[in-house]
Amino acid sequence: MAESATSNIVEVKEPSFPFGKKEKQLITDPLMDNNPVTIQVLGICSALAVTTQVFPSFVISIAVVFVCAFSSLATSLLRNNIPTQVRMIVQLVIIATLVTVVELVLKAFSFEVYKQLSVFIGLIITNCIVMGRLEAFAMANRPWKSFLDGIGNGLGYGLILLIVAFFRELFGKGTLFVGSPAEVFIIGANNATTTYWINTAAESGFGSYFSWYANNNLMVLPAAAMFIIGIFIWWQRSRNPKLVDIS
Amino acid sequence: MEFFNVFIKSAFIENMVLAYFLGMCSFLAVSKTVKTAFGLGLAVIFVLAVTMPINWVINEYLLGETGIFGTDLTFLRFILFIAVIASMVQLVEMVIEKVSPSLYNSLGIFLPLITVNCAILGGSLFMVSREYNLSESVAFGLGGGFGWFLAIIALAAIREKLRYSNVPPALRGLGMAFILTGLMGMAFMSLMGIDPTVYSVGN
């Protein structure tokens, strides 16, 4: 995060400039050093449930970024008018509304994806990241900052989701990116109904060179996601020992 | 007899955390010491046991085609269930804040997050999909909560012991908790019996 000389000058003049140093940190910190999944311990259930394949995880990540950003914005705008006794219900109504918007947009513009994901989209309501950030950040900060915090945390969550899903799909099912409707990205073979990058069960294409690989069924179980996140935490904290919590 | 069966089944065989991996966030974050884990466990038992029958009544008498409104309102299920849960959790939060401020502070953000604890909403949805009656749903709420309580106490106790053992420094704390939960979950899977849909062996 090297800061250029110009942005320092801007910072002195206007401390709350829309893209000052603090605002940048709001987006970059949750990616690694304050990651919602591995440091704040939020949103683990869905990280176990969706990550058997890469493509659904990718869509869910985008949806969570959207919901997180706009619910933070809305809560932050309303924060001085929400009585503390009913704040959870208010937050949940905001989240549920946004999730419904995501669901309807997907239904209208990409029905194939919607059919694959219908249950998991609904479950974004109970994703702790969204409500956790509302409680921890948006209830106490200005709208623009809360918005950026929402984007940052959504992205940090998506990063973990994609890493876990990559290993689980590749080693558990011998495929990669099954079901992605984006033909542009296809490297591997394509058998009319489903598209994928790699598929060890295919008869042609890149994946067919790996047809000797026997799928590891352990990777499909939720326990495997726990192990992968555990190993990721190990790597992350040996890289940056300051993150270790001794307890 | 049915009451007892459902209780045992939901507490041990189909344990919310270790068999279905629901309610993971607070399970991992609050299991540092047995004392706080105990407090959160009790709160979860209470919320599950209270919301389950309320949601059963809502589902039976408000949402179904045989209910008061006479039309199919099941699309409102998510919102209504979550609203009931949120108000219960808000109540628990106020009580804990009054009764035990130290527990309130050590639980921190994870107390309001019981609302979005998947185990609780998941419990209500399981109750609907398995078509439990009222007494069974009370048993399911109590049993599910008790199973969650036992699991978090077990993990907290292991983590307290682990503090004195020689874990690689970077894996200490949360990293080890993840791996431990994975191992405990694999052990619990043997209790689920031989169900081909769970294991899906073969290609």
Side-chain angles (χ1 to χ4, degrees):
Chain A
M1 283 176 284
E3 282 295 315
S4 63
T6 49
S7 72
N8 279 335
I9 296 166
V10 168
E11 221 188 285
V12 174
K13 276 181 185 170
E14 287 175 86
S16 63
F17 186 73
F19 290 103
K21 193 179 170 188
K22 275 191 178 164
E23 281 78 5
K24 258 185 210 159
Q25 268 182 359
L26 283 178
I27 293 202
T28 52
D29 268 5
L31 290 183
M32 194 51 82
D33 289 345
N34 192 19
N35 191 289
V37 180
T38 62
I39 307 288
Q40 303 172 37
V41 208
L42 296 171
I44 293 163
C45 311
S46 61
L48 301 174
V50 227
T51 51
T52 48
Q53 290 182 351
V54 177
F55 180 66
S57 332
F58 181 69
V59 178
I60 291 287
S61 310
I62 294 176
V64 168
V65 171
F66 172 82
V67 173
C68 223
F70 284 94
S71 62
S72 289
L73 181 69
T75 312
S76 180
L77 285 171
L78 292 171
R79 72 185 186 281
N80 295 327
N81 300 322
I82 302 176
T84 37
Q85 290 85 8
V86 294
R87 66 176 199 288
M88 290 176 203
I89 301 173
V90 174
Q91 290 165 352
L92 278 171
V93 168
I94 294 173
I95 298 170
T97 316
L98 283 164
V99 172
T100 314
V101 169
V102 170
E103 198 172 0
L104 293 178
V105 167
L106 265 185
K107 207 174 183 176
F109 290 101
S110 178
F111 192 64
E112 283 300 309
V113 180
Y114 171 78
K115 270 198 298 186
Q116 271 186 32
L117 286 176
S118 52
V119 186
F120 295 123
I121 295 283
L123 287 179
I124 295 176
I125 300 174
T126 52
N127 190 327
C128 341
I129 287 186
V130 186
M131 197 176 155
R133 289 322 288 176
L134 295 188
E135 275 284 316
F137 198 90
M139 287 300 283
N141 283 281
R142 286 165 173 275
W144 175 244
K145 277 190 173 176
S146 309
F147 184 68
L148 291 179
D149 179 78
I151 293 182
N153 279 286
L155 289 176
Y157 168 77
L159 182 74
I160 300 292
L161 228 61
L162 290 182
I163 291 172
V164 175
F166 176 83
F167 288 111
R168 281 183 83 182
E169 188 176 354
L170 191 60
F171 293 112
K173 299 194 169 165
T175 59
L176 208 53
F177 253 85
V178 165
S180 128
E183 300 266 347
V184 191
F185 294 113
I186 301 307
I187 303 170
N190 184 350
N191 68 2
T193 49
T194 53
T195 53
Y196 40 77
W197 282 16
I198 291 173
N199 183 357
T200 52
E203 282 168 11
S204 61
F206 180 66
S208 61
Y209 296 115
F210 298 95
S211 54
W212 45 266
Y213 179 72
N215 294 341
N216 183 352
N217 284 310
L218 173 68
M219 298 300 269
V220 185
L221 301 177
M226 303 300 291
F227 296 140
I228 295 171
I229 300 177
I231 292 166
F232 183 82
I233 291 176
W234 191 0
W235 169 79
Q236 189 187 30
R237 291 179 188 193
S238 39
R239 210 177 122 269
N240 185 356
K242 267 186 278 177
L243 299 176
V244 178
D245 53 336
I246 303 149
S247 54
Chain B
M1 201 59 211
E2 199 57 26
F3 186 93
F4 194 66
N5 273 346
V6 173
F7 182 87
I8 294 291
K9 198 177 161 197
S10 56
F12 297 104
I13 301 166
E14 293 174 346
N15 189 297
M16 288 277 188
V17 192
L18 297 173
Y20 289 120
F21 289 87
L22 293 173
M24 268 296 146
C25 311
S26 30
F27 179 71
L28 288 166
V30 186
S31 57
K32 281 178 186 166
T33 57
V34 173
K35 208 178 160 196
T36 40
F38 188 82
L40 188 74
L42 286 185
V44 168
I45 292 184
F46 174 78
V47 175
L48 257 176
V50 173
T51 56
M52 204 72 85
I54 297 180
N55 283 345
W56 186 86
V57 170
I58 287 180
N59 188 56
E60 192 74 10
Y61 293 109
L62 289 181
L63 298 179
E65 276 184 21
T66 52
I68 298 172
F69 299 107
T71 48
D72 187 26
L73 293 173
T74 41
F75 63 92
L76 287 175
R77 191 181 282 154
F78 262 118
I79 302 269
L80 281 180
F81 281 9
I82 267 286
V84 169
I85 294 168
S87 40
M88 272 300 127
V89 175
Q90 192 90 62
L91 191 75
V92 170
E93 193 201 18
M94 288 191 261
V95 170
I96 292 186
E97 195 181 1
K98 281 274 179 314
V99 175
S100 167
S102 65
L103 180 63
Y104 180 78
N105 288 329
S106 57
L107 288 178
I109 192 179
F110 286 96
L111 186 54
L113 285 186
I114 299 178
T115 323
V116 284
N117 187 327
C118 330
I120 293 175
L121 185 64
S124 286
L125 295 176
F126 275 138
M127 171 196 78
V128 172
S129 67
R130 292 176 189 169
E131 297 174 346
Y132 284 143
N133 61 30
L134 184 57
S135 71
E136 280 169 340
S137 69
V138 173
F140 185 55
L142 281 172
F146 184 64
W148 203 92
F149 173 81
L150 279 185
I152 196 172
I153 295 282
L155 183 65
I158 295 177
R159 284 180 76 175
E160 278 196 353
K161 289 275 178 220
L162 267 184
R163 212 168 299 161
Y164 306 105
S165 54
N166 200 7
V167 179
L171 207 52
R172 230 164 248 178
L174 192 59
M176 209 56 216
F178 267 95
I179 292 173
L180 273 175
T181 314
L183 290 173
M184 286 164 83
M186 281 172 69
F188 254 76
M189 270 175 187
S190 59
L191 286 178
M192 284 174 93
I194 299 154
D195 182 358
T197 56
V198 175
Y199 290 99
S200 65
V201 181
N203 299 318

